[in-house]
Amino acid sequence: MNVELERCNAEIKELKKEIEAVKSEGQDAKPLADYAQKVSLPKVYCGLKQRRILKGHFGKIYAMHWSDDSKHLVSASQDGKLIIWNAFTTNKVHAIPLRSSWVMTCAYSPSGSMVACGGLDNLCSVYKIPQGQKDSVTQQKTYAELAQHEGYLSCCRFINDHQIITSSGDTTCILWDVETKNPITTFAGHGGDVMSVSIFDAYNHFVSGSCDSYAKLWDFRAGVKNNCMKTFIGHESDINSVQFFPDGNAFGTGSDDSSCRLFDIRAYRQLNKYANDKILCGITSVAFSLTGKFLFAGYDDYNCYVWDTQSSLLLEQLTGHDNRVSCLGVTKDGKGLCTGSWDTLLKIWA
């Protein structure tokens, strides 16, 4: 019996050493790129071109989010307006004046019937989109004001029309019941401002990125104890954006350390790192193409860069904005990319 215990203890020590070795190589680990190089994957070409310009904001654009119909999008600007656009025609469908112009995030509900926003007012404001009225400034009351956070609201995302998740500078995320305006669950665990969340509803999971340089995976189901399932390390500075990979088994991050990274949830490790010695500025936003082949990232140097997810090669540089690219998003059908900038413009690429 003692011999068996000693053998097990020795095996545990060896496994711990192997785990530490894997963890120590975490920051620069690129196993996916190494494999892609080994099997000599052909270089791909993205070929995106600018197709539309959406003009109408008079202040810096801080956030945008596509509707699930892949036709409409909502944008938030510090001119104090939420604008809902028809991306095909470039027409403004609705303009919603905000009580606070210091807005930092916006979101479209999956049904397309509601939008939400928030910022330095520490509130998440939810608006119902009026049906029938077109091209109008909507002087409407807020459908719901969700007040609980003690810091600015950095990101919000709908699960459905009844639930929304918010992240805040108070280091927490909150799952809300939109109708009752009450918090359902508070997710605490980060050591710094939480800057971004991404939801994968099919798995009841969401991922958050924080200024503590960590990304965390959470289970948002009611009654689940110890909601934080995993913590992912690797970045050396603030994580500004997180986005689930299309299949929900991995997620991408963008950071002030000038790199994007791909983390695999099942392997619980970093799979790839996307960086270039000539790009030394921070990343504000990330999004994957429909197949996950491309990773789009918005940078402080006024550009959007396109990376090959597998090989980690820089494929394209989308130029055209005259200020920081603050937000971007890919349509649900995968046919279009929208970039928003502090130059007050939104651009559609396809």
Side-chain angles (χ1 to χ4, degrees):
M1 188 72 176
N2 287 335
V3 175
E4 186 67 19
L5 278 173
E6 284 177 15
R7 189 185 67 76
C8 287
N9 284 329
E11 195 174 331
I12 288 167
K13 284 179 183 177
E14 285 301 315
L15 286 170
K16 281 183 177 178
K17 282 181 185 176
E18 287 180 31
I19 289 167
E20 288 303 317
V22 170
K23 279 185 177 178
S24 64
E25 69 173 20
Q27 289 185 352
D28 295 310
K30 298 169 76 172
L32 187 59
D34 294 342
Y35 179 76
Q37 191 174 13
K38 196 181 196 177
V39 297
S40 302
L41 286 176
K43 187 174 179 181
V44 291
Y45 177 65
C46 186
L48 286 177
K49 291 183 181 176
Q50 184 182 303
R51 306 294 182 181
R52 301 280 191 278
I53 299 178
L54 307 182
K55 297 179 182 178
H57 280 299
F58 297 99
K60 294 175 179 176
I61 293 171
Y62 267 76
M64 62 76 50
H65 194 225
W66 282 101
S67 168
D68 277 3
D69 66 8
S70 299
K71 180 180 178 183
H72 295 94
L73 64 93
V74 62
S75 60
S77 164
Q78 292 198 345
D79 60 9
K81 293 277 195 305
L82 266 188
I83 296 181
I84 297 168
W85 307 81
N86 182 323
F88 288 0
T89 64
T90 72
N91 291 338
K92 301 173 199 67
V93 182
H94 296 290
I96 302 172
L98 305 174
R99 285 203 302 175
S100 168
S101 63
W102 303 105
V103 64
M104 296 177 69
T105 183
C106 63
Y108 228 121
S109 70
S111 70
S113 63
M114 289 191 280
V115 291
C117 67
L120 297 184
D121 58 0
N122 299 5
L123 300 172
C124 179
S125 303
V126 182
Y127 298 89
K128 274 203 168 179
I129 301 170
Q131 303 300 318
Q133 293 174 288
K134 300 228 170 173
D135 302 316
S136 60
V137 173
T138 311
Q139 298 287 351
Q140 67 180 104
K141 289 183 180 176
T142 312
Y143 175 68
E145 277 192 348
L146 311 177
Q148 176 85 13
H149 283 298
E150 296 174 2
Y152 63 87
L153 204 81
S154 57
C155 188
C156 60
R157 288 292 178 264
F158 283 95
I159 297 172
N160 49 49
D161 283 358
H162 310 293
Q163 294 182 318
I164 190 171
I165 290 176
T166 57
S167 64
S168 168
D170 65 8
T171 75
T172 68
C173 302
I174 296 179
L175 170 64
W176 300 86
D177 185 308
V178 175
E179 289 182 19
T180 64
K181 305 172 190 171
N182 292 323
I184 299 169
T185 311
T186 299
F187 305 91
H190 278 294
D193 303 11
V194 186
M195 299 304 295
S196 179
V197 293
S198 179
I199 297 168
F200 198 79
D201 191 23
Y203 290 171
N204 300 306
H205 292 166
F206 78 93
V207 65
S208 60
S210 167
C211 290
D212 61 9
S213 79
Y214 299 140
K216 288 181 181 284
L217 181 72
W218 309 83
D219 189 321
F220 61 72
R221 285 175 294 182
V224 176
K225 291 183 180 179
N226 190 21
N227 302 80
C228 182
M229 300 167 68
K230 293 176 180 177
T231 300
F232 294 85
I233 61 172
H235 279 293
E236 298 163 18
S237 189
D238 305 5
I239 296 176
N240 296 318
S241 181
V242 291
Q243 182 67 44
F244 263 108
F245 194 74
D247 70 357
N249 291 317
F251 63 90
T253 56
S255 168
D256 278 342
D257 65 9
S258 305
S259 75
C260 300
R261 296 172 196 243
L262 179 69
F263 294 95
D264 188 277
I265 292 168
R266 293 171 297 183
Y268 201 176
R269 66 171 298 185
Q270 180 177 308
L271 280 191
N272 231 342
K273 179 181 177 182
Y274 310 93
N276 188 298
D277 292 339
K278 294 179 182 176
I279 305 172
L280 301 175
C281 60
I283 292 117
T284 61
S285 45
V286 292
F288 288 100
S289 63
L290 180 64
T291 61
K293 179 64 178 170
F294 304 116
L295 173 65
F296 305 103
Y299 285 73
D300 290 340
D301 66 357
Y302 310 175
N303 296 312
C304 172
Y305 292 97
V306 185
W307 300 90
D308 185 315
T309 307
Q310 290 175 295
S311 68
S312 78
L313 293 174
L314 178 59
L315 300 177
E316 282 187 55
Q317 177 181 343
L318 304 180
T319 59
H321 284 293
D322 297 324
N323 210 324
R324 167 192 284 190
V325 176
S326 54
C327 53
L328 54 76
V330 175
T331 56
K332 189 172 184 180
D333 64 13
K335 294 179 180 177
L337 167 74
C338 178
T339 55
S341 168
W342 282 10
D343 65 7
T344 75
L345 300 176
L346 293 149
K347 299 196 174 194
I348 311 293
W349 311 77

